Amino acid sequence: MKKFFPLLLFLLTAARPVFAQDVYQAHTHVQLISEQNTVVPGKTFWVGVDFKLDDSWHVYWRNPGDSGLAPKIKWDLPAGMKAGNIQWPYPERLDVGPLTSYGYGHEVLLMVPVSVSADFQPSKADLHADLNWLACSDICIPGKAQLALPVVVAPKEAAFNASKSLFDKTRQDLPQDIPSITSQVMPDGNQWRLGIQSPLKAGENITFYPFRNDVIEHAAAEHSQKTNEGYQVTLTKSHLYQGSLKPIEGVAVNPAGWQANGWPKAIVIKAPIEVAPPRTQVSFWIACLFALIGGLILNLMPCVLPVLSIKVLHLVERHPDKTIALRHSLLYSLGILSSVWALALLLFILKAAGQFAGWGFQFQSPVFVMAVAVILFVLALNLFGVFEFQAPQIGGVRGHQNGYWQSFVSGIITTVVASPCTAPFMGTALTAAISQPNIVGFGIFTCLGLGLASPFVVLSAFPSLLAFVPKPGRWMVYLKRVLGIILLACVVWLMWVFGIQTGLGDLSKIYKSADHIHWQSYSSAAVDRARQSGHGVFIDFTADWCINCQVNDRLVLQNQLVVQAFKDKGIVAFKADWTKYDPAVTKALTLYGRDSIPVYVYYPPGALKPEFLPQLITPTTVLKHINH
């Protein structure tokens, strides 16, 4: 008889569900229920708040969308019990006028796991929950209820009840994490391209529900299509989005199911943001080689070449002694490396602070532009013989013989005047440097500095390479004047940039009307409209202080064959002007994964991904891209 009574009690309790009294409020019946009549110490059991709504009424998901509030549960549990997070079934879109929310109509069970400690002693326990929710139809009414649920503690075996079927049904609607299905998202103007790699491609009516409220425009239509890898879902970026590069998380629902058995219909998405279309990743050593070559080529730029030439002239004129010349070259190199390291440190600090900065960004400051213009003007006067630099006295002895300090400063000046230029190979190297850990980036920047310094070092170490240079004479005066004219031209150009930045002399409108291509000011929305209308789109990321940009513009983008091809193809052209700091252009460069300008982006008609042209372009290069 003693053995029969517990069995009878078990059968009786198993036959009826355990739940609190039904509360009706805000057009909603709510109950706190459990799928078990008995719970076991040391194990977890499931409870849930069951919402039954009147017709045309709904409650909200964890992200309510454009309006609404998600239900909240505040637990009061006995010591030894701990409640977990709400498990949210996938929602449905609720369109009310111009707004779209995410939620549930009819009935929904919000399940919560409750863990019981192994040393839990009471034979009975009461669970208490304070529930707040918002029920909406044409109007919204807040609901509030205090719910309680008694449970019996069994030493060994849990007893399930009739509510288990509702829990099992709800489990089928919980988003699942399937490791074999991966995802990523690519920013594309004011849109997201969500790619989902899935071996099963059953149906293509995919709907994405984000966990955060600032990711997409909820009311905008979503477009999904099959791809070779799985699916692509096109989403409209939220106007609230602040440019965070955190992964986009949410739930993707496929009515046909994500596996062969048609289940689950919802999966958890954690899609990292691809800040640029996939590109070939270069190794550290290749990036160093590219940086070294780029630094070498920088010496041929119009601002740098005169400074280097001055050093070489001093080498020819003043320092036939190989040892002294080598010391000068090493101090010149130290000046270059010190300034390159300082610039790299500043870039890494800005990156750590979440700010984007690329090579030459300091020229966005009118003060810096004016300072460089003054330096070049002083150097030009020196070349014209208006005055001669004199080295400072050290220890009472004039350092005219050595002038080591001048060589160090010359290295700094060389780096400063080289920064508005981007040589071939530099773009790849700089992208690798800024995207890698800082210690790796410093190594790549060091190679850039070594490349910039190496010509003068080599000529100092091997003076025989200057054997073809005539002995000092009248020719040096003429050469200095030519170099001075080049520097004065650079000064005029920098003053023009200063005028544009400060509004004192903006000639950009005249310049733009002369290039014969109808350039529009860049905006992501305008780019999207042009692409959606079926046009090819060309974007020129440029700045008036970028020498490469100006050379490419005059010699290539104003070439009559290129201009005619743009007209014949109906290509919509945009200038993304970075002369002054522009957050929209800065953000676009970040998303395209570029760290220096110029950048040339071309979207063929109907293409989802852009093509990138090299930083040094020719008419043939541009025509090849737009004609293929």
Side-chain angles (χ1 to χ4, degrees):
M1 185 67 178
K2 291 182 179 180
K3 294 181 179 180
F4 176 74
F5 182 76
L7 177 61
L8 179 61
L9 178 63
F10 171 78
L11 293 174
L12 289 174
T13 56
R16 63 179 182 85
V18 175
F19 52 84
Q21 182 179 2
D22 179 285
V23 174
Y24 180 74
Q25 191 179 136
H27 293 269
T28 312
H29 293 269
V30 293
Q31 286 182 305
L32 183 61
I33 63 174
S34 170
E35 65 176 342
Q36 297 174 203
N37 284 346
T38 60
V39 299
V40 180
K43 295 188 177 181
T44 297
F45 67 101
W46 288 87
V47 299
V49 177
D50 185 26
F51 293 82
K52 291 187 176 72
L53 293 123
D54 291 349
D55 291 343
S56 78
W57 288 80
H58 58 264
V59 292
Y60 293 95
W61 187 53
R62 55 180 293 180
N63 171 16
D66 286 329
S67 64
L69 291 172
K72 294 183 178 180
I73 306 173
K74 183 178 180 182
W75 293 97
D76 182 10
L77 303 179
M81 288 190 179
K82 184 178 180 180
N85 295 324
I86 296 174
Q87 304 299 299
W88 300 88
Y90 69 84
E92 60 180 327
R93 286 173 62 102
L94 304 168
D95 298 314
V96 181
L99 305 179
T100 294
S101 299
Y102 307 135
Y104 314 95
H106 306 295
E107 182 178 11
V108 64
L109 176 66
L110 299 184
M111 298 169 48
V112 176
V114 177
S115 59
V116 185
S117 64
D119 57 354
F120 193 82
Q121 293 296 329
S123 58
K124 293 183 179 180
D126 289 331
L127 283 63
H128 296 273
D130 288 339
L131 177 65
N132 289 272
W133 75 97
L134 185 68
C136 293
S137 180
D138 296 332
I139 60 172
C140 292
I141 302 176
K144 184 176 182 180
Q146 293 181 333
L147 306 177
L149 177 70
V151 294
V152 177
V153 181
K156 295 182 180 180
E157 187 174 2
F160 292 97
N161 59 48
S163 294
K164 187 177 187 327
S165 60
L166 178 59
F167 280 82
D168 288 341
K169 179 179 180 299
T170 301
R171 288 187 178 98
Q172 295 180 5
D173 294 334
L174 296 180
Q176 304 297 309
D177 189 357
I178 303 179
S180 62
I181 298 179
T182 59
S183 60
Q184 75 287 323
V185 67
M186 182 182 297
D188 186 4
N190 72 334
Q191 294 182 324
W192 298 112
R193 309 284 184 183
L194 172 63
I196 303 174
Q197 287 73 52
S198 170
L200 179 70
K201 293 186 264 302
E204 58 183 56
N205 188 23
I206 311 300
T207 305
F208 178 69
Y209 301 95
F211 289 157
R212 286 185 10 223
N213 199 42
D214 63 345
V215 174
I216 69 172
E217 292 291 346
H218 309 294
E222 298 183 5
H223 302 283
S224 58
Q225 63 186 56
K226 294 179 183 178
T227 64
N228 293 334
E229 296 80 20
Y231 303 91
Q232 178 175 270
V233 185
T234 303
L235 309 161
T236 301
K237 192 180 299 181
S238 172
H239 67 282
L240 301 174
Y241 183 70
Q242 296 298 315
S244 168
L245 294 182
K246 294 180 180 178
I248 302 299
E249 299 181 87
V251 173
V253 177
N254 184 354
W258 289 99
Q259 293 180 329
N261 58 5
W263 183 87
K265 295 191 180 337
I267 59 172
V268 177
I269 292 292
K270 187 174 183 179
I273 295 178
E274 290 189 355
V275 296
R279 292 179 291 168
T280 303
Q281 298 295 319
V282 297
S283 68
F284 170 73
W285 297 111
I286 294 296
C288 286
L289 177 62
F290 283 4
L292 190 67
I293 296 173
L296 277 168
I297 298 175
L298 275 180
N299 286 283
L300 302 177
M301 296 299 172
C303 288
V304 181
L305 185 59
V307 180
L308 177 62
S309 300
I310 294 171
K311 297 304 298 177
V312 174
L313 288 175
H314 287 177
L315 195 64
V316 173
E317 186 178 27
R318 294 185 176 182
H319 301 303
D321 187 292
K322 180 179 177 180
T323 302
I324 294 178
L326 188 57
R327 290 174 185 170
H328 276 280
S329 69
L330 293 178
L331 283 167
Y332 174 76
S333 302
L334 183 60
I336 288 177
L337 288 174
S338 299
S339 48
V340 167
W341 288 334
L343 180 58
L345 179 62
L346 179 59
L347 291 174
F348 294 145
I349 291 174
L350 291 174
K351 181 181 74 171
Q355 300 294 319
F356 173 83
W359 180 259
F361 77 98
Q362 64 272 26
F363 276 84
Q364 294 175 338
S365 166
V367 175
F368 187 85
V369 170
M370 177 59 73
V372 175
V374 170
I375 291 172
L376 294 183
F377 183 69
V378 171
L379 289 175
L381 294 180
N382 176 251
L383 288 171
F384 285 124
V386 176
F387 61 87
E388 290 286 338
F389 288 121
Q390 297 293 331
Q393 292 186 3
I394 301 176
V397 180
R398 182 172 296 279
H400 181 73
Q401 271 193 333
N402 297 326
Y404 293 136
W405 177 247
Q406 289 184 17
S407 293
F408 179 79
V409 173
S410 295
I412 296 176
I413 292 174
T414 299
T415 304
V416 170
V417 299
S419 54
C421 304
T422 303
F425 300 99
M426 269 184 62
T428 301
L430 292 175
T431 298
I434 295 178
S435 62
Q436 296 294 322
N438 293 349
I439 187 66
V440 176
F442 267 110
I444 297 172
F445 271 101
T446 299
C447 290
L448 176 66
L450 291 174
L452 185 57
S454 57
F456 186 57
V457 175
V458 171
L459 292 175
S460 300
F462 302 98
S464 59
L465 295 174
L466 294 172
F468 69 93
V469 179
K471 292 182 179 181
R474 189 67 182 171
W475 68 271
M476 296 181 67
V477 177
Y478 295 120
L479 178 58
K480 286 182 178 181
R481 289 175 181 174
V482 171
L483 296 175
I485 291 172
I486 294 175
L487 288 182
L488 284 181
C490 293
V491 171
V492 172
W493 159 63
L494 288 173
M495 294 306 297
W496 174 63
V497 173
F498 179 82
I500 292 174
Q501 291 176 327
T502 58
L504 298 177
D506 189 352
L507 303 178
S508 58
K509 293 181 180 179
I510 298 175
Y511 146 63
K512 289 181 180 179
S513 65
D515 61 12
H516 304 297
I517 290 179
H518 177 61
W519 293 102
Q520 300 182 34
S521 296
Y522 171 83
S523 76
S524 60
V527 169
D528 290 337
R529 287 193 296 270
R531 291 179 57 204
Q532 291 170 4
S533 64
H535 289 282
V537 170
F538 187 91
I539 310 173
D540 175 13
F541 288 89
T542 185
D544 290 321
W545 45 259
C546 169
I547 296 178
N548 308 52
C549 304
Q550 301 308 313
V551 172
N552 287 340
D553 191 82
R554 265 76 170 168
L555 299 182
V556 179
L557 296 180
Q558 294 186 38
N559 179 279
Q560 287 304 309
L561 293 176
V562 173
V563 172
Q564 192 60 46
F566 270 60
K567 293 180 179 179
D568 294 342
K569 297 287 185 179
I571 295 172
V572 182
F574 294 91
K575 274 197 184 293
D577 193 345
W578 213 36
T579 303
K580 295 184 288 186
Y581 177 78
D582 186 327
V585 176
T586 302
K587 183 178 178 181
L589 281 170
T590 306
L591 296 177
Y592 283 125
R594 266 40 185 182
D595 303 285
S596 59
I597 56 174
V599 175
Y600 303 103
V601 181
Y602 177 61
Y603 285 94
L608 297 178
K609 295 184 178 181
E611 299 175 2
F612 289 90
L613 282 67
Q615 291 182 309
L616 183 61
I617 56 175
T618 65
T620 302
T621 305
V622 177
L623 293 173
K624 180 180 178 181
H625 276 271
I626 66 177
N627 287 328
H628 82 281

